[in-house]
């Protein structure tokens, strides 16, 4: 099985966070934490992203956006919810315009708690996510292998 | 105005040591005051509920009877208000953040059996006392009633 | 061994080795950049990890024709480099390179999506900026050696750079555009935060992006080949010298990348045309009227 | 050194007076620093406040419009000061007031007319109507 | 048989044209025009092939030495043209223009009548003439076939224009006749006649709609072309006075004389008629500063612009310049002509960027490509002339196709704005394909324009024309931009799915297909065409006198080039078919997460759906024709004045010294 | 047809630190029209007053924005203190000032980095953020949080800055000052940087006035307004002058903010030198009843706070008007006629705080 864990490209979407977590996500990339050591690249484009980092909770306006961005990513993909807002809604969960954490609209694989989540925590979260990323790939390839086998068999029968 | 004014700095940087910390190979260092997560010395807790009421997120819950104190760490903003409010000072803010995880479960702390037993005993005692008091009260009432009835009878 | 077999061997070597070299250059570049930014940076093999991952992801597209357009793009970039390393016609290979770029352009515009279309248009603007210089460079080589064929160009007595210093300067300048480095990475960016998202590659993901990356590696190698062409002459010592110069140029590009803000398209065209006219044009005029 | 605390006044006006007062403020060269609404629970009153500030003296004057269907004891509701009274937009006088006004209308249901640009209650695009103000009938306590 | 082909080709179109003129509004005009066009098509092709087989391409023939009657007809024609022009000029109160017609006509008649009769050939066939015959015949007749269908649609949409389509077709035929005459005649007096004839025909075609704009533009075209005519006549008279002959052959052989007498008065004087005739060619080929007439010609219905741009009118100028090329090689006249050509190439490429009207883009690109050809011819070395010939061939075919397709698209789409071509691949797929291939032919591999450009650059470098090289490289970068952005438009995902009814006739499609196949065949057989036809033509006796023929481009190079280029054609196809079975998941286009699920709409700031609209870049404020044309014309005029001064000065100097 | 493109910009867009959306109409690469849309981060946190008491609201208030979190917490607390007539101890006032300026320092460095990123100068971005990390260390040392301070409460502050910590802060300041001087050279003098900032997004003094701009955005257009001059917290005891520039373009705004970095360093030094001993917080009794309008100078400009209490722990209204809200109109103005390539720069140039704008 090919090892794809060394190149996780992340895309960050700011749901309705207070910025605290956003800047900590950015801080991960800066010289002191340098996430690129692990091959992490911050890309703005869902087409090229492997890991979706969501900060902040989900509200009525951004729910379809988060969903769309997630759908645009190519499989296998992983979602990491950063900060308690993205996990549960955090302090804001009782606000009228907050539906809850990111898991309200997309399946979340890793929750990173903290308000704001510390850069180390975010790196840990991504690293956890990478493991899932690899599992996903294996599952995907297995499924594909089966499919092509079926096809071959179907071809033989004909 | 200059062209490539940054070249000197960039070249200097190239030959100086990177400032990158080697986390996670080396564990992170935390400052003394760092607000990481809440720890509880559960046996000190008197289940008064001050913390649950103080928490701006509604993260905490207690169960007086079972002697539990529950926190959802994926909901806690580590503000420290509960720590400030706890009358017994049994809550502390500790450095080091909560590990990320795939599930956002709650953590429940239960008081040790001795303490529980002690509390239960106290409660029982209290209950007994209350019951006794009640009994006494009832007895008194009954006595009064009886007296009254007697009085009435007398009156009649 | 006859000439044909040598050629075939060279061709195979080029096709196999160029991406390895290109990927390594990319990896080293990223490392050096990181160090210039006081970071540790990714492992040197990182570009290969990225490529592997991209190839293993589920292929995606926005418009189905993107897939074959991207493959064609890759093929033509390989062809361009191949022609140069096989000693064929320099000018024609540059024309084919433009054709290759057009395929990339089509792959981006066919989606009709906003950012990739803007990026694609900017790619054309970049072409306006660098093409005169590239063509003039070819003409310069021709003037010096009397042939467009790279096989003849490397067979001179004196390195072409002796005659073409201006062209060399101009070529280095537009190299920044070709290699998509700051300050002229306007059609797409290796750094994420850009106003057109990923520009021409905005709708290109997974396998197609791997194809794009590969094409870029080939392109890097063949651009470095062009740089080397300025140095190489009959004397075999010139070959290591050329390689060193190519590395120095690559390093210079990295340094420029790390010391400049991204400029706007109009500024890019103005500057690169100015440099082309002043450096390359003057060089050409000098060749014509002084060294006749 | 310089503690220019400045004046901090609240001036009560009726909706009809608003444009004139706003003009006065503009003529005095004041800047509209904010406009906001508040729902006063006890009195069931909607209050609109427009704050005008002086950037050299750091004074602040707050124009206050009170809108309520419930009159104080012994009084009737003033003409044009009902809960749904129309309030003219001052976006013609202070163009940047439009954002505040759109917000007040969307979140508090203030009946502000002719805002330019008008986001038609879709500035924040929330699901609830006027979340800050209890619905008319129902649990308006 | 073969002997009569040329007179037939010249006279037959004139006859058809006369017939059409007198057939009024009757419907048989269409049929006659179609038949006539088919006849011309096959005659010209058959003539070309048959002559090649029977006599061999390399033979140069001089025919019709005694042509007294024909001479009188021509004379009559010349007077007739002058009368027509004068009449129209007076009708539209442009009196002074008539002078440009009357004076040269009078002058040439006077000289002709007073000069001693000489026995010279009047028709003259060589490789160049033959290939021109083929080009005019084949492309021209296809245009006419196309025109018959087109005018039908045109008049259905444009009720405001009076329907005089038979008159229109008549003019087209007349034009063709004149072109045949022009490329085959060997007598300079005939040349003058046919020249004036094309000028007047184009003038009448441009004025077809009789709208005010059309009339103004037509008169602009007229005076510019007549000015060229004046220069031509002056040049002819000058030659006659120097050499005492009207024979084009004689004139061409003065090449040696220039060499012999280069230091003498006579040698210097020879430059002057060359310059005058080259100047005439510049006007015909719409070079700066005379480019505006060709732009103005756009007001006419598409077939006429097609005819003007692709195969005929403007190519007449190039034809003359190719003939003159050996005389211009390496001297000051050639230098300046080449310079003007290169300058035109660059400046009009700039202007083409700002255009969104498809026909205007085509027009600007025509002028700019002509500039390249002029530059090549002006330099006059074998390589550049070779390039010039190929540029001309490829340009004629691709441009003719492009014009026709744009016209057909306009009829279906009711717009010819490039912005409306967005996603044409999805609304009118066939048109989009033809346009795409046509544009590819203009600047991309594998088509010949690219190889020609290659050769042109090589030739220019060989001859050390540094400035011109610089102009060309900049211009060619711009060319890629304006074509590229149109191609992008064609294939882009559409903004809105709209239903468009394709009203294109069978006949039009036939014409498109023939063009396309011709283009592809020309690429495939490029090396052969080059070796067997163009190389000898460039290098051998016919043109340059007795210089020994060397192939302009080495054969092996050519084969490699064409092989490479064909790959460009094949690879995408291979990729396309090999990639078909592959599984790939379709995703929505990226719009910051708010597209409405259809790739062409997004949620706007007010929460509504908004349609995405992508437009090309035009840089109108910077590069519009209005802004750039005047200064460019000014510069070009200065260049012309400079050369006039140099020649005049050296002339005077020669006379004094 | 139209030679103008109509395209969406954002809400997800790598140049934008936060989601906003612009409907753009562009011609070539010139912006003809830009209509902003907000609300992607609207949470409605002001409505939490119904569910949280006024003490808890202090923690909610600082999460209005994770960057000027301190300012928001402070602004809210001071407004409530005004209503309740609480006299805050002097030491608390000084501590608040120090933290406020530390937060401005980190915010401005962050902005400088984002600006560098917006004009595509990656290395400069990294260097700004590297320096900023030092400031964050100082903040974490004293408050325990990197971006969310949680040291304010109604009545005063929760934590003290010990003399050792003061020393550490002073060391940090020396480091920041030295490094910023180096960065300033590139920001202010580099050709490529200047070509992106000079003359871009010009807002004249009159325009800035007419559009009600605030903060550095207004100061860069020559309006000398700085709420710190009102003398809240300990600012009344410290020496400062508003920093202004008359360019009115991106360059001017950059100049102002970089100037303010040095100004903050100076203010912290003054405060540390003058800090008195004393209590950290006053005792607060009862519930707020009344209303007050209060204005402070956030890193991004003037922020307005309005609190209305009704005698219960739950407030009637807590309202924040943030600087970005005031600057939106100015942003729309500078976007018109700008180059498409400059959008990122222009958006960042107002130092937007969408999170606090939408709350
Ligand atoms: S978790 Fe805390 S810091 Fe992060 S976004 Fe939510 S409130 Fe802000
Ligand atoms: S606050 Fe005091 S009185 Fe109230 S429940 Fe807790 S311990 Fe008992
Ligand atoms: S730290 Fe704050 S959020 Fe966490 S439990 Fe305590 S009061 Fe609640
Ligand atoms: S406030 Fe302290 S004692 Fe009371 S329940 Fe909470 S932890 Fe236990
Ligand atoms: S397609 Fe039809 S309508 Fe159009 S020109 Fe031809 S015949 Fe006319
Ligand atoms: S679209 Fe073209 S053909 Fe149709 S009416 Fe307009 S101009 Fe005439
Ligand atoms: S004003 Fe802006 S920066 Fe300041 S706290 Fe609010 S959101 Fe943050
Ligand atoms: S502008 Fe406000 S929300 Fe945006 S990053 Fe800055 S502080 Fe955060």
């Amino acid at each position: 099985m090919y090892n794809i864990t060394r190149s996780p490209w992340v895309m960050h979407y700011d749901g309705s966070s207070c910025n605290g977590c956003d800047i900590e996500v950015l801080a991960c990339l800066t010289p002191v934490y340098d996430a690129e050591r692990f091959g992490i690249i911050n890309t703005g484009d869902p087409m090229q992203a492997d890991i979706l980092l969501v900060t902040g909770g989900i509200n009525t306006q951004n729910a379809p956006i988060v969903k769309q961005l997630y759908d645009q990513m190519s499989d296998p993909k992983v979602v990491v919810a950063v900060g308690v807002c993205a996990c549960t809604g955090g302090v804001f969960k009782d606000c009228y315009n907050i539906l809850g954490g990111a898991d309200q609209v997309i399946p979340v694989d890793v929750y990173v708690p903290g308000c704001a989540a510390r850069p180390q925590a975010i790196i840990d979260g991504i690293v956890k996510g990478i493991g899932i990323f690899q599992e996903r790939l294996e599952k995907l390839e297995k499924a594909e292998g089966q499919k092509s086998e079926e096809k071959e068999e179907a071809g033989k029968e004909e | 105005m200059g062209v490539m004014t940054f070249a000197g700095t960039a070249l200097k940087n190239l030959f100086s040591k990177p400032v990158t910390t080697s986390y996670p190979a080396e564990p992170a260092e935390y400052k003394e005051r760092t607000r990481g997560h809440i720890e509880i010395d559960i046996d000190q807790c008197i289940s008064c509920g001050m913390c649950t009421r103080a928490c701006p997120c509604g993260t905490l819950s207690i169960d007086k009877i079972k002697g539990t104190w529950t926190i959802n760490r994926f909901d806690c903003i580590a503000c420290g208000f509960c720590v400030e409010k706890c009358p017994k000072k049994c809550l502390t803010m500790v450095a080091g953040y909560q590990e990320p995880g795939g599930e956002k479960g709650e953590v429940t702390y239960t008081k040790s059996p001795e303490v529980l037993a002690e509390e239960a005993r106290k409660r029982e005692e209290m209950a007994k006392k209350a019951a006794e008091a009640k009994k006494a009260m009832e007895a008194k009432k009954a006595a009064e009633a009886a007296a009254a009835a007697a009085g009435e009878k007398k009156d009649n | 061994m006859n000439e044909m077999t040598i050629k075939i061997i060279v061709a195979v070597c080029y096709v196999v080795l160029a991406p390895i070299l290109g990927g390594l250059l990319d990896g080293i570049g990223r490392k050096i950049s990181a160090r210039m930014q006081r970071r540790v940076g990714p492992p040197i093999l990182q570009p290969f990890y990225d490529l592997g991952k991209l190839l293993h992801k589920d292929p995606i597209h926005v418009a189905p024709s993107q897939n074959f357009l991207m493959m064609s793009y890759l093929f033509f970039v390989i062809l361009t480099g191949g022609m140069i390393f096989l000693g064929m016609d320099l000018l024609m290979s540059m024309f084919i390179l433009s054709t290759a770029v057009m395929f990339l352009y089509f792959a981006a515009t066919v989606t009709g999506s906003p950012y990739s279309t803007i990026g694609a248009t900017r790619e054309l603007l970049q072409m306006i900026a660098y093409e005169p210089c590239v063509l003039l460079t070819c003409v310069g080589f021709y003037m010096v050696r009397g042939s467009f064929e790279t096989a003849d160009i490397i067979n001179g007595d004196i390195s072409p750079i002796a005659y073409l210093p201006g062209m060399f300067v101009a070529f280095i300048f537009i190299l920044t555009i070709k290699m998509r480095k700051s300050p002229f990475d306007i059609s797409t960016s290796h750094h994420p935060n850009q106003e057109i998202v990923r520009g021409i590659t905005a709708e290109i993901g997974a396998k197609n992006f791997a194809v794009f990356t590969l094409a870029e590696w080939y392109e890097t190698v063949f651009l470095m080949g062009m740089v080397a062409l300025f140095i190489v002459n009959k004397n075999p010592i010139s070959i290591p010298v050329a390689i060193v110069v190519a590395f120095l140029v690559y390093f210079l590009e990295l340094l420029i990348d790390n010391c400049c803000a991204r400029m706007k398209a109009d500024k890019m065209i103005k500057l690169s045309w100015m440099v082309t006219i002043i450096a390359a044009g003057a060089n050409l005029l000098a060749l014509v009227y002084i060294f006749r | 050194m310089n503690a220019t605390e400045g004046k901090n006044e609240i001036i009560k006006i009726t909706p009809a007076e608003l444009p004139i007062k706003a003009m006065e403020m503009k003529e005095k060269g004041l800047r509209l620093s904010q406009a906001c609404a508040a729902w006063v629970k006890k009195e069931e009153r909607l209050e609109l406040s427009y704050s005008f500030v002086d950037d050299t003296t750091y004074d602040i004057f707050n124009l206050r419009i009170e809108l309520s269907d419930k009159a104080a004891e012994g009084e009737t509701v003033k003409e044009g000061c009902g809960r749904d009274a129309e309030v003219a937009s001052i976006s013609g006088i202070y163009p940047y007031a439009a954002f505040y006004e759109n917000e007040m209308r969307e979140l508090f249901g203030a009946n502000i007319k002719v805002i330019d640009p008008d986001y038609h209650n879709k500035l924040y695009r929330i699901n609830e109507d006027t979340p800050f103000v209890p619905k008319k009938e129902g649990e308006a306590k | 048989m073969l002997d009569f082909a040329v007179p037939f080709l010249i006279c037959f179109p004139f006859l058809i044209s006369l017939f059409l003129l007198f057939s009024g509004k009757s419907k048989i005009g269409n049929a006659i025009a179609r038949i006539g066009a088919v006849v011309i098509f096959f005659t010209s092709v058959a003539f070309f092939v048959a002559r090649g087989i029977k006599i061999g391409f390399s033979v140069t023939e001089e025919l019709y030495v005694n042509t007294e009657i024909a001479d009188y007809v021509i004379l009559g024609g010349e007077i007739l043209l002058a009368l027509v022009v004068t009449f129209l000029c007076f009708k539209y109160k442009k009196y002074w223009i008539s002078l440009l017609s009357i004076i040269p006509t009078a002058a040439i008649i006077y000289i002709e009548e007073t000069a001693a009769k000489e026995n010279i050939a009047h028709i003259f066939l060589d490789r160049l003439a033959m290939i021109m015959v083929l080009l005019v015949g084949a492309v021209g007749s296809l245009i006419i076939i196309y025109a018959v269908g087109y005018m039908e649609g045109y008049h259905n949409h444009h009720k405001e224009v009076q329907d005089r389509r038979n008159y229109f077709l008549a003019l087209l035929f007349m034009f063709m006749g004149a072109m045949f005459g022009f490329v085959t005649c060997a007598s300079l007096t005939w040349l003058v006649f046919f020249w004036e004839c094309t000028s007047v025909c184009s003038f009448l075609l441009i004025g077809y709609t009789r709208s005010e704009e059309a009339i103004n533009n037509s008169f602009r075209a007229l005076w510019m072309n007549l000015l060229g005519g004046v220069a031509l006549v002056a040049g002819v008279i000058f030659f006659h006075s120097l050499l005492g002959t009207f024979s084009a052959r004689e004139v061409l052989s003065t090449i040696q004389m220039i060499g012999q007498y280069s230091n003498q008065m006579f040698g210097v004087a020879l430059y002057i008629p060359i310059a005058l005739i080259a100047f005439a060619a510049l006007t015909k080929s719409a070079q700066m500063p005379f480019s505006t007439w060709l732009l103005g010609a756009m007001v006419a219905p598409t077939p006429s612009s097609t005819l003007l741009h692709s195969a005929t009118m403007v190519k007449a100028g190039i034809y003359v310049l190719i003939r003159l090329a050996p005389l211009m090689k390496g001297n000051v006249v050639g230098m300046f002509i080449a310079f003007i050509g290169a300058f035109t190439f660059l400046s009009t490429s700039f202007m083409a960027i700002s255009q969104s009207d498809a026909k205007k883009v085509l027009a600007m690109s025509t002028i700019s490509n002509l500039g390249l050809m002029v530059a090549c011819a002006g330099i006059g070395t074998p390589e550049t002339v070779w390039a010039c010939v190929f540029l001309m061939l490829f340009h004629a075919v691709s441009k003719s196709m492009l014009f026709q397709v744009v016209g057909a698209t306009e009829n279906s789409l009711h717009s010819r704005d490039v912005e409306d071509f967005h996603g044409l691949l999805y609304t009118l797929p066939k048109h989009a394909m033809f346009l795409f291939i046509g544009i590819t032919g203009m600047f991309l591999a594998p088509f010949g324009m690219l190889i020609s450009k290659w050769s042109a650059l090589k030739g220019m470098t060989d001859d050390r024309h540094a400035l011109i090289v610089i102009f060309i490289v900049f211009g060619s970068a711009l060319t890629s931009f304006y074509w590229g952005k149109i191609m992008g438009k064609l294939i882009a995902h559409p903004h809105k799915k709209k239903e468009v009814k394709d009203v294109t006739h069978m006949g039009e499609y036939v014409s498109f297909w023939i063009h396309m196949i011709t283009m592809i065949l020309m690429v495939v057989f490029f090396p052969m065409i080059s070796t067997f036809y163009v190389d000898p033509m460039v290098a051998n006796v016919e043109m340059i006198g007795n210089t020994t023929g060397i192939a302009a481009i080495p054969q092996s190079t050519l084969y490699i080039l064409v092989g490479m280029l064909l790959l460009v054609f094949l690879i995408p196809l291979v990729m396309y078919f090999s990639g078909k079975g592959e599984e790939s998941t379709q995703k929505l286009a990226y719009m910051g997460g708010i597209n409405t699920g259809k790739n062409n709409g997004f949620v706007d700031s007010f929460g509504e759906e908004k349609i995405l609209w992508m437009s090309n870049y035009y840089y109108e404020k910077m590069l519009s024709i209005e802004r750039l044309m005047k200064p460019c014309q000014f510069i070009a005029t200065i260049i012309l004045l400079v050369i006039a001064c140099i020649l005049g000065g050296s002339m005077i100097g020669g006379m004094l010294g | 047809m139209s030679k103008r493109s109509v395209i969406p910009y954002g809400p997800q867009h790598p140049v934008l630190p936060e989601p906003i959306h612009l409907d753009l109409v562009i011609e070539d690469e010139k912006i003809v029209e830009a209509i902003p849309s907000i609300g992607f981060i609207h949470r409605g946190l002001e409505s939490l007053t119904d569910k949280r008491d006024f003490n808890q609201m202090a923690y909610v208030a600082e999460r209005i924005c994770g960057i000027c979190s301190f300012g928001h917490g402070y602004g809210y607390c001071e407004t409530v203190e005004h209503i309740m007539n609480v006299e805050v101890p002097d030491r608390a006032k000084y501590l608040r000032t120090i933290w406020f300026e530390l937060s401005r320092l980190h915010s401005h460095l962050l902005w400088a980095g984002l600006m560098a990123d917006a004009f595509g100068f990656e290395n400069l971005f990294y260097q700004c953020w590297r320096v900023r990390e030092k400031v964050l260390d100082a903040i974490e040392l004293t408050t325990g949080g990197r971006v969310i301070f949680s040291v304010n409460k109604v009545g005063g502050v929760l934590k003290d800055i010990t003399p050792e910590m003061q020393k550490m802060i002073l060391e940090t300041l020396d480091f920041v000052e030295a490094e910023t001087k180096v960065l300033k050279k590139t920001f202010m003098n580099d050709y490529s940087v200047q070509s992106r900032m000079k003359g871009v997004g010009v807002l004249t003094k009159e325009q800035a006035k007419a559009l009600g701009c605030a903060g550095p955005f207004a100061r860069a257009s020559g309006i000398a307004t700085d709420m710190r001059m009102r003398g809240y917290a300990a600012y009344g005891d410290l020496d400062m002058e508003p920093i202004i520039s008359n360019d009115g373009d991106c360059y001017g705004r950059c100049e102002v903010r970089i100037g303010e970095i040095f100004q903050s360093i100076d203010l912290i030094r003054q405060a540390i030198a003058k800090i008195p001993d004393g209590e950290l917080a006053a005792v607060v009794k009862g519930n707020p009843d009344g209303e007050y309008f209060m204005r402070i100078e956030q890193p991004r400009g003037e922020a307005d706070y309005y609190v209305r209490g009704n005698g219960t722990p739950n407030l009637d209204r807590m309202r924040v008007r943030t600087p970005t809200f005031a600057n939106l109109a100015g942003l729309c103005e500078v976007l018109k006629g700008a180059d498409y390539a400059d959008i990122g720069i222009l958006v960042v140039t107002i130092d937007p705080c969408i999170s606090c704008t939408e709350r």
Side-chain angles (χ1 to χ4, degrees), chain E residues 354-357 415 417 419-420 590-594 602-606 610-621, chain F residues 1-14 21-30 35-38 40 340:
Chain E
S354 68
Q355 297 308 307
S356 75
D357 180 333
S415 163
D417 193 305
E419 290 304 316
D420 289 326
Y590 171 82
M591 286 183 212
I594 50 167
F602 61 91
V603 183
D604 76 356
S605 289
F606 301 102
K610 202 169 205 156
I611 298 298
L612 178 80
W613 186 280
M614 294 309 296
S615 153
N616 272 339
Y617 293 5
Y618 293 98
Y619 298 103
E620 263 187 335
K621 293 205 182 72
Chain F
M1 274 292 296
S2 163
K3 290 186 183 177
R4 292 172 170 184
S5 305
V6 180
I7 58 166
Y9 196 88
Q12 194 276 324
H13 197 296
H21 163 80
L22 296 167
D23 283 347
L24 288 185
V25 179
I26 55 174
E27 196 179 296
D28 301 338
E29 286 211 4
K30 280 261 179 285
I35 306 168
S37 149
I38 57 176
F40 298 95
Y340 175 77

Side-chain angles (χ1 to χ4, degrees), chain C residues 115 122 193 195 262 264, chain F residues 8 13 29 117 119 196 342:
Chain C
Y115 300 107
R122 287 183 172 190
N193 291 11
E195 65 273 4
R262 182 190 308 116
K264 288 191 265 185
Chain F
H13 197 296
E29 286 211 4
D117 201 27
F119 57 64
R196 293 305 303 272
D342 286 333

Side-chain angles (χ1 to χ4, degrees), chain E residues 115-116 118-120 186 188 235-254:
Chain E
E118 35 171 354
N119 280 343
I120 54 166
L188 290 177
V236 167
I237 293 174
F238 213 115
F239 262 132
H240 189 261
S241 65
L242 284 177
L243 306 168
T245 177
F246 281 120
S247 161
R249 298 280 295 156
E250 290 282 320
V251 169
L252 289 176
S253 59
T254 50

Side-chain angles (χ1 to χ4, degrees), chain C residues 158-218:
Chain C
I158 307 175
S159 300
I161 195 168
Y163 302 99
L164 304 173
M167 302 258 180
F168 187 70
V169 170
F171 189 77
I172 304 266
F173 191 87
I174 59 108
L175 205 56
T176 322
I177 307 175
K178 268 316 277 173
M179 289 173 55
R180 305 178 196 286
K181 296 266 184 224
S182 185
F184 300 126
D185 49 344
I186 65 149
S187 84
T188 174
S189 159
H190 283 244
H191 318 315
N193 291 11
Q194 227 212 100
E195 65 273 4
I196 48 173
V197 192
R198 299 291 289 178
I200 197 165
T201 60
E203 308 292 351
I204 292 173
K207 194 182 133 221
N208 284 340
F209 196 65
V211 168
F212 175 81
T213 315
L214 260 180
E216 278 209 315
W217 293 352
Y218 276 109

Side-chain angles (χ1 to χ4, degrees), chain E residues 39-117:
Chain E
V39 169
I40 293 174
F41 183 87
F42 284 108
T43 319
S44 54
V45 174
F47 175 51
F48 182 81
V49 175
R51 185 173 175 278
I53 293 170
K54 212 165 160 195
I55 314 182
F57 291 115
S58 53
V59 176
T60 304
E61 286 179 285
E62 298 189 30
L63 304 167
Y64 307 105
V65 178
N66 292 311
T67 51
E68 197 128 349
I69 305 167
D71 278 345
Y72 282 117
V73 173
I74 298 270
L75 202 65
E78 253 166 58
I79 294 169
L80 186 67
L81 285 179
L83 287 179
V84 170
V85 170
T86 312
F87 169 73
L88 285 172
C89 287
F90 276 75
K91 184 172 167 197
Y92 290 102
K93 305 206 171 57
K94 316 252 181 188
Y95 307 110
W96 64 275
I97 297 179
S98 63
L99 289 181
L100 291 178
S101 177
I102 295 168
I103 294 175
T105 309
I108 194 90
I109 292 172
Y110 173 74
I111 299 282
E112 212 176 321
E113 291 311 307
T114 53
K117 285 271 166 290

